[in-house]
Amino acid sequence: MAVVGLGPAGEQWLTPEARQVLAEATDLVGYGPYVDRVPQRPGQIRHRTDNRVEAERAAHALSLAREGRRVAVVSSGDPGVFAMASAVLEAAEDFPGVPVRIVPGLTAAHAVASRAGAPLGHDYCVVSLSDLLKPWEVVADRLRAAARADLVLAIYNPASRSRTWQVGAARDLVMEHRDPATPVVIGRDVGGPQETITVTTLGELDPSQVDMRCLLIIGSSTTRATDGGTVYTPRRYPA
């Protein structure tokens, strides 16, 4: 079976390898809106699930594969970045003999960065603000460490309907070690019909502008924003 990355949005960001695996699959398994992004194919069975049943979804897919089905578990972006690859590999320990192949996809951080310029041009780290699967104290410690190390931050899952305070808290934590004028990129629905890219600063970051369809990039001390709105981080770091 395969775990397939669909990219952040739109067929234009689907890799040829992913397209081939999806075309050959007898069964598609995944969160409903992600399954819906894959074109219908005759005879292909689609197993749509809720977003909060990753372990059950993985076990179901592995059970189908053990029966000899060609299964593709679909994920938005890259399946190995806060997505289904790790859930499937963890569940696969109970399904010896079922091989699992990971088919990469374009992750949201790279898509947003490309729209803004090259904010990830030097060292960076990726952090999820979601505290559903880890305590907020762990998130906060990692934000402080990354800010202290002067890494660019790509922040996934910054907000949702039930998580509305984390963006402001993250901004305040990073500002303990970073200038308020640090460039910040807010990418929303990148690749989709309502795509927007907003360039602001850390000090002026308004949490109300950020929702569950956004990804944030917070620059390092060397990240620059041009008058035209292009954001980039030079590859050279001052000695």
Side-chain angles (χ1 to χ4, degrees), residues 196-233:
T196 60
I197 295 292
T198 302
V199 178
T200 184
T201 65
L202 189 58
E204 295 178 350
L205 174 60
D206 180 359
S208 68
Q209 289 186 292
V210 181
D211 61 25
M212 62 193 300
R213 301 177 72 182
C214 292
L215 180 135
L216 301 181
I217 297 178
I218 300 176
S220 69
S221 65
T222 65
T223 302
R224 304 170 187 173
T226 70
D227 292 340
T230 298
V231 180
Y232 69 98
T233 304

PDB file of all heavy atoms in Angstrom, residues 196-233:
ATOM      1  N   THR A 196      -4.444  33.917  -0.549  1.00  0.00           N
ATOM      2  CA  THR A 196      -3.913  35.238  -0.215  1.00  0.00           C
ATOM      3  C   THR A 196      -2.549  35.070   0.447  1.00  0.00           C
ATOM      4  O   THR A 196      -2.322  34.109   1.175  1.00  0.00           O
ATOM      5  CB  THR A 196      -4.828  36.022   0.750  1.00  0.00           C
ATOM      6  OG1 THR A 196      -4.979  35.290   1.971  1.00  0.00           O
ATOM      7  CG2 THR A 196      -6.189  36.292   0.133  1.00  0.00           C
ATOM      8  N   ILE A 197      -1.663  36.001   0.167  1.00  0.00           N
ATOM      9  CA  ILE A 197      -0.366  36.076   0.835  1.00  0.00           C
ATOM     10  C   ILE A 197      -0.275  37.454   1.472  1.00  0.00           C
ATOM     11  O   ILE A 197      -0.365  38.475   0.783  1.00  0.00           O
ATOM     12  CB  ILE A 197       0.806  35.868  -0.145  1.00  0.00           C
ATOM     13  CG1 ILE A 197       0.783  34.455  -0.733  1.00  0.00           C
ATOM     14  CG2 ILE A 197       2.130  36.149   0.544  1.00  0.00           C
ATOM     15  CD1 ILE A 197       1.089  33.354   0.265  1.00  0.00           C
ATOM     16  N   THR A 198      -0.105  37.488   2.774  1.00  0.00           N
ATOM     17  CA  THR A 198       0.003  38.741   3.509  1.00  0.00           C
ATOM     18  C   THR A 198       1.394  38.824   4.129  1.00  0.00           C
ATOM     19  O   THR A 198       1.833  37.883   4.800  1.00  0.00           O
ATOM     20  CB  THR A 198      -1.056  38.821   4.625  1.00  0.00           C
ATOM     21  OG1 THR A 198      -2.358  38.697   4.046  1.00  0.00           O
ATOM     22  CG2 THR A 198      -0.954  40.135   5.383  1.00  0.00           C
ATOM     23  N   VAL A 199       2.073  39.924   3.895  1.00  0.00           N
ATOM     24  CA  VAL A 199       3.377  40.158   4.504  1.00  0.00           C
ATOM     25  C   VAL A 199       3.205  41.236   5.569  1.00  0.00           C
ATOM     26  O   VAL A 199       2.722  42.337   5.288  1.00  0.00           O
ATOM     27  CB  VAL A 199       4.414  40.604   3.457  1.00  0.00           C
ATOM     28  CG1 VAL A 199       5.753  40.901   4.136  1.00  0.00           C
ATOM     29  CG2 VAL A 199       4.598  39.517   2.404  1.00  0.00           C
ATOM     30  N   THR A 200       3.579  40.906   6.781  1.00  0.00           N
ATOM     31  CA  THR A 200       3.471  41.837   7.892  1.00  0.00           C
ATOM     32  C   THR A 200       4.743  41.721   8.733  1.00  0.00           C
ATOM     33  O   THR A 200       5.756  41.222   8.246  1.00  0.00           O
ATOM     34  CB  THR A 200       2.189  41.545   8.711  1.00  0.00           C
ATOM     35  OG1 THR A 200       2.055  42.523   9.749  1.00  0.00           O
ATOM     36  CG2 THR A 200       2.187  40.157   9.300  1.00  0.00           C
ATOM     37  N   THR A 201       4.699  42.193   9.960  1.00  0.00           N
ATOM     38  CA  THR A 201       5.834  42.049  10.864  1.00  0.00           C
ATOM     39  C   THR A 201       5.391  41.320  12.121  1.00  0.00           C
ATOM     40  O   THR A 201       4.181  41.222  12.412  1.00  0.00           O
ATOM     41  CB  THR A 201       6.421  43.413  11.255  1.00  0.00           C
ATOM     42  OG1 THR A 201       5.443  44.137  12.009  1.00  0.00           O
ATOM     43  CG2 THR A 201       6.837  44.200  10.032  1.00  0.00           C
ATOM     44  N   LEU A 202       6.362  40.858  12.868  1.00  0.00           N
ATOM     45  CA  LEU A 202       6.041  40.127  14.094  1.00  0.00           C
ATOM     46  C   LEU A 202       5.270  41.020  15.069  1.00  0.00           C
ATOM     47  O   LEU A 202       4.289  40.589  15.688  1.00  0.00           O
ATOM     48  CB  LEU A 202       7.337  39.614  14.726  1.00  0.00           C
ATOM     49  CG  LEU A 202       7.202  38.647  15.910  1.00  0.00           C
ATOM     50  CD1 LEU A 202       6.416  37.408  15.514  1.00  0.00           C
ATOM     51  CD2 LEU A 202       8.591  38.257  16.413  1.00  0.00           C
ATOM     52  N   GLY A 203       5.692  42.261  15.189  1.00  0.00           N
ATOM     53  CA  GLY A 203       5.020  43.156  16.110  1.00  0.00           C
ATOM     54  C   GLY A 203       3.613  43.517  15.692  1.00  0.00           C
ATOM     55  O   GLY A 203       2.764  43.817  16.537  1.00  0.00           O
ATOM     56  N   GLU A 204       3.336  43.487  14.368  1.00  0.00           N
ATOM     57  CA  GLU A 204       2.019  43.854  13.861  1.00  0.00           C
ATOM     58  C   GLU A 204       1.160  42.643  13.509  1.00  0.00           C
ATOM     59  O   GLU A 204       0.052  42.797  12.984  1.00  0.00           O
ATOM     60  CB  GLU A 204       2.178  44.750  12.629  1.00  0.00           C
ATOM     61  CG  GLU A 204       2.833  46.089  12.949  1.00  0.00           C
ATOM     62  CD  GLU A 204       3.030  46.944  11.715  1.00  0.00           C
ATOM     63  OE1 GLU A 204       2.840  46.420  10.593  1.00  0.00           O
ATOM     64  OE2 GLU A 204       3.380  48.123  11.867  1.00  0.00           O
ATOM     65  N   LEU A 205       1.641  41.443  13.799  1.00  0.00           N
ATOM     66  CA  LEU A 205       0.881  40.233  13.496  1.00  0.00           C
ATOM     67  C   LEU A 205      -0.438  40.232  14.270  1.00  0.00           C
ATOM     68  O   LEU A 205      -0.453  40.272  15.498  1.00  0.00           O
ATOM     69  CB  LEU A 205       1.705  38.993  13.840  1.00  0.00           C
ATOM     70  CG  LEU A 205       0.995  37.635  13.701  1.00  0.00           C
ATOM     71  CD1 LEU A 205       0.536  37.408  12.268  1.00  0.00           C
ATOM     72  CD2 LEU A 205       1.923  36.511  14.162  1.00  0.00           C
ATOM     73  N   ASP A 206      -1.537  40.175  13.533  1.00  0.00           N
ATOM     74  CA  ASP A 206      -2.872  40.190  14.129  1.00  0.00           C
ATOM     75  C   ASP A 206      -3.424  38.763  14.126  1.00  0.00           C
ATOM     76  O   ASP A 206      -3.724  38.221  13.061  1.00  0.00           O
ATOM     77  CB  ASP A 206      -3.788  41.108  13.330  1.00  0.00           C
ATOM     78  CG  ASP A 206      -5.197  41.186  13.893  1.00  0.00           C
ATOM     79  OD1 ASP A 206      -5.480  40.509  14.907  1.00  0.00           O
ATOM     80  OD2 ASP A 206      -6.022  41.920  13.304  1.00  0.00           O
ATOM     81  N   PRO A 207      -3.558  38.128  15.290  1.00  0.00           N
ATOM     82  CA  PRO A 207      -4.049  36.749  15.325  1.00  0.00           C
ATOM     83  C   PRO A 207      -5.413  36.563  14.669  1.00  0.00           C
ATOM     84  O   PRO A 207      -5.716  35.471  14.185  1.00  0.00           O
ATOM     85  CB  PRO A 207      -4.111  36.443  16.829  1.00  0.00           C
ATOM     86  CG  PRO A 207      -3.092  37.338  17.439  1.00  0.00           C
ATOM     87  CD  PRO A 207      -3.152  38.603  16.636  1.00  0.00           C
ATOM     88  N   SER A 208      -6.223  37.611  14.614  1.00  0.00           N
ATOM     89  CA  SER A 208      -7.552  37.471  14.008  1.00  0.00           C
ATOM     90  C   SER A 208      -7.475  37.261  12.500  1.00  0.00           C
ATOM     91  O   SER A 208      -8.454  36.856  11.871  1.00  0.00           O
ATOM     92  CB  SER A 208      -8.413  38.699  14.324  1.00  0.00           C
ATOM     93  OG  SER A 208      -7.918  39.855  13.664  1.00  0.00           O
ATOM     94  N   GLN A 209      -6.316  37.536  11.893  1.00  0.00           N
ATOM     95  CA  GLN A 209      -6.122  37.303  10.465  1.00  0.00           C
ATOM     96  C   GLN A 209      -5.821  35.842  10.144  1.00  0.00           C
ATOM     97  O   GLN A 209      -5.774  35.460   8.976  1.00  0.00           O
ATOM     98  CB  GLN A 209      -4.966  38.150   9.935  1.00  0.00           C
ATOM     99  CG  GLN A 209      -5.231  39.638   9.851  1.00  0.00           C
ATOM    100  CD  GLN A 209      -4.072  40.348   9.184  1.00  0.00           C
ATOM    101  OE1 GLN A 209      -2.966  40.434   9.718  1.00  0.00           O
ATOM    102  NE2 GLN A 209      -4.301  40.838   7.989  1.00  0.00           N
ATOM    103  N   VAL A 210      -5.597  35.042  11.167  1.00  0.00           N
ATOM    104  CA  VAL A 210      -5.103  33.673  10.977  1.00  0.00           C
ATOM    105  C   VAL A 210      -6.198  32.673  11.317  1.00  0.00           C
ATOM    106  O   VAL A 210      -6.797  32.735  12.399  1.00  0.00           O
ATOM    107  CB  VAL A 210      -3.862  33.421  11.857  1.00  0.00           C
ATOM    108  CG1 VAL A 210      -3.336  32.006  11.655  1.00  0.00           C
ATOM    109  CG2 VAL A 210      -2.785  34.454  11.561  1.00  0.00           C
ATOM    110  N   ASP A 211      -6.451  31.743  10.401  1.00  0.00           N
ATOM    111  CA  ASP A 211      -7.435  30.685  10.665  1.00  0.00           C
ATOM    112  C   ASP A 211      -6.834  29.339  10.309  1.00  0.00           C
ATOM    113  O   ASP A 211      -5.636  29.216  10.025  1.00  0.00           O
ATOM    114  CB  ASP A 211      -8.749  30.944   9.919  1.00  0.00           C
ATOM    115  CG  ASP A 211      -8.575  30.980   8.399  1.00  0.00           C
ATOM    116  OD1 ASP A 211      -7.612  30.355   7.883  1.00  0.00           O
ATOM    117  OD2 ASP A 211      -9.396  31.617   7.722  1.00  0.00           O
ATOM    118  N   MET A 212      -7.665  28.313  10.302  1.00  0.00           N
ATOM    119  CA  MET A 212      -7.184  26.946  10.131  1.00  0.00           C
ATOM    120  C   MET A 212      -6.648  26.672   8.729  1.00  0.00           C
ATOM    121  O   MET A 212      -5.985  25.657   8.502  1.00  0.00           O
ATOM    122  CB  MET A 212      -8.300  25.961  10.471  1.00  0.00           C
ATOM    123  CG  MET A 212      -9.525  26.065   9.590  1.00  0.00           C
ATOM    124  SD  MET A 212     -10.949  25.167  10.245  1.00  0.00           S
ATOM    125  CE  MET A 212     -10.313  23.512  10.321  1.00  0.00           C
ATOM    126  N   ARG A 213      -6.893  27.559   7.780  1.00  0.00           N
ATOM    127  CA  ARG A 213      -6.409  27.363   6.409  1.00  0.00           C
ATOM    128  C   ARG A 213      -5.116  28.122   6.153  1.00  0.00           C
ATOM    129  O   ARG A 213      -4.686  28.249   5.013  1.00  0.00           O
ATOM    130  CB  ARG A 213      -7.491  27.794   5.419  1.00  0.00           C
ATOM    131  CG  ARG A 213      -8.795  27.020   5.585  1.00  0.00           C
ATOM    132  CD  ARG A 213      -9.868  27.501   4.651  1.00  0.00           C
ATOM    133  NE  ARG A 213      -9.588  27.107   3.285  1.00  0.00           N
ATOM    134  CZ  ARG A 213     -10.360  27.448   2.247  1.00  0.00           C
ATOM    135  NH1 ARG A 213     -11.433  28.193   2.438  1.00  0.00           N
ATOM    136  NH2 ARG A 213     -10.054  27.049   1.030  1.00  0.00           N
ATOM    137  N   CYS A 214      -4.492  28.612   7.214  1.00  0.00           N
ATOM    138  CA  CYS A 214      -3.280  29.427   7.080  1.00  0.00           C
ATOM    139  C   CYS A 214      -2.029  28.663   7.494  1.00  0.00           C
ATOM    140  O   CYS A 214      -2.089  27.715   8.280  1.00  0.00           O
ATOM    141  CB  CYS A 214      -3.390  30.676   7.949  1.00  0.00           C
ATOM    142  SG  CYS A 214      -4.637  31.870   7.402  1.00  0.00           S
ATOM    143  N   LEU A 215      -0.913  29.110   6.971  1.00  0.00           N
ATOM    144  CA  LEU A 215       0.410  28.722   7.435  1.00  0.00           C
ATOM    145  C   LEU A 215       1.204  30.002   7.638  1.00  0.00           C
ATOM    146  O   LEU A 215       1.115  30.925   6.824  1.00  0.00           O
ATOM    147  CB  LEU A 215       1.111  27.802   6.447  1.00  0.00           C
ATOM    148  CG  LEU A 215       2.510  27.344   6.883  1.00  0.00           C
ATOM    149  CD1 LEU A 215       2.701  25.850   6.656  1.00  0.00           C
ATOM    150  CD2 LEU A 215       3.606  28.133   6.151  1.00  0.00           C
ATOM    151  N   LEU A 216       1.949  30.069   8.739  1.00  0.00           N
ATOM    152  CA  LEU A 216       2.759  31.244   9.047  1.00  0.00           C
ATOM    153  C   LEU A 216       4.232  30.951   8.818  1.00  0.00           C
ATOM    154  O   LEU A 216       4.707  29.859   9.119  1.00  0.00           O
ATOM    155  CB  LEU A 216       2.587  31.657  10.516  1.00  0.00           C
ATOM    156  CG  LEU A 216       1.202  32.012  11.030  1.00  0.00           C
ATOM    157  CD1 LEU A 216       1.293  32.408  12.497  1.00  0.00           C
ATOM    158  CD2 LEU A 216       0.617  33.147  10.222  1.00  0.00           C
ATOM    159  N   ILE A 217       4.943  31.938   8.312  1.00  0.00           N
ATOM    160  CA  ILE A 217       6.403  31.887   8.262  1.00  0.00           C
ATOM    161  C   ILE A 217       6.920  33.118   8.991  1.00  0.00           C
ATOM    162  O   ILE A 217       6.604  34.253   8.595  1.00  0.00           O
ATOM    163  CB  ILE A 217       6.935  31.833   6.826  1.00  0.00           C
ATOM    164  CG1 ILE A 217       6.461  30.557   6.130  1.00  0.00           C
ATOM    165  CG2 ILE A 217       8.461  31.901   6.832  1.00  0.00           C
ATOM    166  CD1 ILE A 217       6.896  30.446   4.676  1.00  0.00           C
ATOM    167  N   ILE A 218       7.672  32.897  10.061  1.00  0.00           N
ATOM    168  CA  ILE A 218       8.267  33.990  10.837  1.00  0.00           C
ATOM    169  C   ILE A 218       9.756  34.015  10.529  1.00  0.00           C
ATOM    170  O   ILE A 218      10.458  33.018  10.714  1.00  0.00           O
ATOM    171  CB  ILE A 218       8.036  33.791  12.345  1.00  0.00           C
ATOM    172  CG1 ILE A 218       6.532  33.746  12.646  1.00  0.00           C
ATOM    173  CG2 ILE A 218       8.705  34.907  13.143  1.00  0.00           C
ATOM    174  CD1 ILE A 218       6.211  33.454  14.108  1.00  0.00           C
ATOM    175  N   GLY A 219      10.231  35.155  10.062  1.00  0.00           N
ATOM    176  CA  GLY A 219      11.613  35.250   9.634  1.00  0.00           C
ATOM    177  C   GLY A 219      12.615  35.215  10.779  1.00  0.00           C
ATOM    178  O   GLY A 219      12.259  35.302  11.961  1.00  0.00           O
ATOM    179  N   SER A 220      13.876  35.087  10.417  1.00  0.00           N
ATOM    180  CA  SER A 220      14.979  35.171  11.377  1.00  0.00           C
ATOM    181  C   SER A 220      15.484  36.613  11.422  1.00  0.00           C
ATOM    182  O   SER A 220      14.915  37.516  10.791  1.00  0.00           O
ATOM    183  CB  SER A 220      16.116  34.240  10.945  1.00  0.00           C
ATOM    184  OG  SER A 220      16.736  34.741   9.770  1.00  0.00           O
ATOM    185  N   SER A 221      16.589  36.836  12.130  1.00  0.00           N
ATOM    186  CA  SER A 221      17.146  38.191  12.220  1.00  0.00           C
ATOM    187  C   SER A 221      17.673  38.684  10.879  1.00  0.00           C
ATOM    188  O   SER A 221      17.832  39.891  10.680  1.00  0.00           O
ATOM    189  CB  SER A 221      18.267  38.228  13.258  1.00  0.00           C
ATOM    190  OG  SER A 221      19.362  37.428  12.839  1.00  0.00           O
ATOM    191  N   THR A 222      17.935  37.762   9.943  1.00  0.00           N
ATOM    192  CA  THR A 222      18.485  38.176   8.644  1.00  0.00           C
ATOM    193  C   THR A 222      17.431  38.226   7.539  1.00  0.00           C
ATOM    194  O   THR A 222      17.743  38.644   6.423  1.00  0.00           O
ATOM    195  CB  THR A 222      19.611  37.220   8.204  1.00  0.00           C
ATOM    196  OG1 THR A 222      19.071  35.911   7.980  1.00  0.00           O
ATOM    197  CG2 THR A 222      20.713  37.153   9.256  1.00  0.00           C
ATOM    198  N   THR A 223      16.220  37.797   7.808  1.00  0.00           N
ATOM    199  CA  THR A 223      15.167  37.786   6.787  1.00  0.00           C
ATOM    200  C   THR A 223      14.801  39.218   6.398  1.00  0.00           C
ATOM    201  O   THR A 223      14.672  40.094   7.255  1.00  0.00           O
ATOM    202  CB  THR A 223      13.929  37.050   7.304  1.00  0.00           C
ATOM    203  OG1 THR A 223      14.296  35.712   7.676  1.00  0.00           O
ATOM    204  CG2 THR A 223      12.845  36.984   6.238  1.00  0.00           C
ATOM    205  N   ARG A 224      14.624  39.430   5.109  1.00  0.00           N
ATOM    206  CA  ARG A 224      14.343  40.769   4.596  1.00  0.00           C
ATOM    207  C   ARG A 224      13.032  40.789   3.825  1.00  0.00           C
ATOM    208  O   ARG A 224      12.673  39.811   3.162  1.00  0.00           O
ATOM    209  CB  ARG A 224      15.479  41.231   3.673  1.00  0.00           C
ATOM    210  CG  ARG A 224      16.849  41.202   4.325  1.00  0.00           C
ATOM    211  CD  ARG A 224      17.954  41.420   3.311  1.00  0.00           C
ATOM    212  NE  ARG A 224      19.276  41.220   3.913  1.00  0.00           N
ATOM    213  CZ  ARG A 224      20.408  41.209   3.225  1.00  0.00           C
ATOM    214  NH1 ARG A 224      20.380  41.384   1.914  1.00  0.00           N
ATOM    215  NH2 ARG A 224      21.563  41.021   3.843  1.00  0.00           N
ATOM    216  N   ALA A 225      12.343  41.915   3.885  1.00  0.00           N
ATOM    217  CA  ALA A 225      11.150  42.155   3.077  1.00  0.00           C
ATOM    218  C   ALA A 225      11.410  43.380   2.211  1.00  0.00           C
ATOM    219  O   ALA A 225      11.765  44.450   2.723  1.00  0.00           O
ATOM    220  CB  ALA A 225       9.932  42.375   3.952  1.00  0.00           C
ATOM    221  N   THR A 226      11.288  43.229   0.896  1.00  0.00           N
ATOM    222  CA  THR A 226      11.535  44.340  -0.014  1.00  0.00           C
ATOM    223  C   THR A 226      10.322  45.268  -0.055  1.00  0.00           C
ATOM    224  O   THR A 226       9.236  44.929   0.401  1.00  0.00           O
ATOM    225  CB  THR A 226      11.827  43.833  -1.430  1.00  0.00           C
ATOM    226  OG1 THR A 226      10.615  43.292  -1.990  1.00  0.00           O
ATOM    227  CG2 THR A 226      12.907  42.752  -1.418  1.00  0.00           C
ATOM    228  N   ASP A 227      10.511  46.443  -0.639  1.00  0.00           N
ATOM    229  CA  ASP A 227       9.406  47.387  -0.783  1.00  0.00           C
ATOM    230  C   ASP A 227       8.288  46.808  -1.638  1.00  0.00           C
ATOM    231  O   ASP A 227       7.121  47.193  -1.489  1.00  0.00           O
ATOM    232  CB  ASP A 227       9.908  48.694  -1.406  1.00  0.00           C
ATOM    233  CG  ASP A 227      10.835  49.463  -0.467  1.00  0.00           C
ATOM    234  OD1 ASP A 227      10.781  49.202   0.757  1.00  0.00           O
ATOM    235  OD2 ASP A 227      11.614  50.306  -0.956  1.00  0.00           O
ATOM    236  N   GLY A 228       8.636  45.870  -2.509  1.00  0.00           N
ATOM    237  CA  GLY A 228       7.630  45.244  -3.363  1.00  0.00           C
ATOM    238  C   GLY A 228       6.907  44.084  -2.715  1.00  0.00           C
ATOM    239  O   GLY A 228       6.045  43.471  -3.349  1.00  0.00           O
ATOM    240  N   GLY A 229       7.268  43.764  -1.478  1.00  0.00           N
ATOM    241  CA  GLY A 229       6.572  42.701  -0.768  1.00  0.00           C
ATOM    242  C   GLY A 229       7.200  41.332  -0.882  1.00  0.00           C
ATOM    243  O   GLY A 229       6.628  40.343  -0.414  1.00  0.00           O
ATOM    244  N   THR A 230       8.383  41.224  -1.485  1.00  0.00           N
ATOM    245  CA  THR A 230       9.100  39.950  -1.562  1.00  0.00           C
ATOM    246  C   THR A 230       9.860  39.717  -0.260  1.00  0.00           C
ATOM    247  O   THR A 230      10.506  40.629   0.265  1.00  0.00           O
ATOM    248  CB  THR A 230      10.069  39.944  -2.745  1.00  0.00           C
ATOM    249  OG1 THR A 230       9.328  40.097  -3.957  1.00  0.00           O
ATOM    250  CG2 THR A 230      10.859  38.641  -2.802  1.00  0.00           C
ATOM    251  N   VAL A 231       9.788  38.497   0.241  1.00  0.00           N
ATOM    252  CA  VAL A 231      10.460  38.140   1.490  1.00  0.00           C
ATOM    253  C   VAL A 231      11.502  37.067   1.198  1.00  0.00           C
ATOM    254  O   VAL A 231      11.198  36.073   0.534  1.00  0.00           O
ATOM    255  CB  VAL A 231       9.451  37.617   2.535  1.00  0.00           C
ATOM    256  CG1 VAL A 231      10.163  37.255   3.842  1.00  0.00           C
ATOM    257  CG2 VAL A 231       8.374  38.667   2.803  1.00  0.00           C
ATOM    258  N   TYR A 232      12.717  37.279   1.694  1.00  0.00           N
ATOM    259  CA  TYR A 232      13.748  36.255   1.489  1.00  0.00           C
ATOM    260  C   TYR A 232      14.720  36.268   2.663  1.00  0.00           C
ATOM    261  O   TYR A 232      14.875  37.274   3.367  1.00  0.00           O
ATOM    262  CB  TYR A 232      14.496  36.467   0.168  1.00  0.00           C
ATOM    263  CG  TYR A 232      15.372  37.691   0.127  1.00  0.00           C
ATOM    264  CD1 TYR A 232      16.740  37.598   0.370  1.00  0.00           C
ATOM    265  CD2 TYR A 232      14.844  38.939  -0.155  1.00  0.00           C
ATOM    266  CE1 TYR A 232      17.557  38.722   0.336  1.00  0.00           C
ATOM    267  CE2 TYR A 232      15.651  40.070  -0.199  1.00  0.00           C
ATOM    268  CZ  TYR A 232      17.004  39.955   0.049  1.00  0.00           C
ATOM    269  OH  TYR A 232      17.808  41.068   0.020  1.00  0.00           O
ATOM    270  N   THR A 233      15.365  35.126   2.859  1.00  0.00           N
ATOM    271  CA  THR A 233      16.403  34.991   3.871  1.00  0.00           C
ATOM    272  C   THR A 233      17.717  34.672   3.167  1.00  0.00           C
ATOM    273  O   THR A 233      17.811  33.638   2.491  1.00  0.00           O
ATOM    274  CB  THR A 233      16.069  33.876   4.880  1.00  0.00           C
ATOM    275  OG1 THR A 233      14.796  34.142   5.464  1.00  0.00           O
ATOM    276  CG2 THR A 233      17.117  33.787   5.974  1.00  0.00           C
TER     277      THR A 233
END
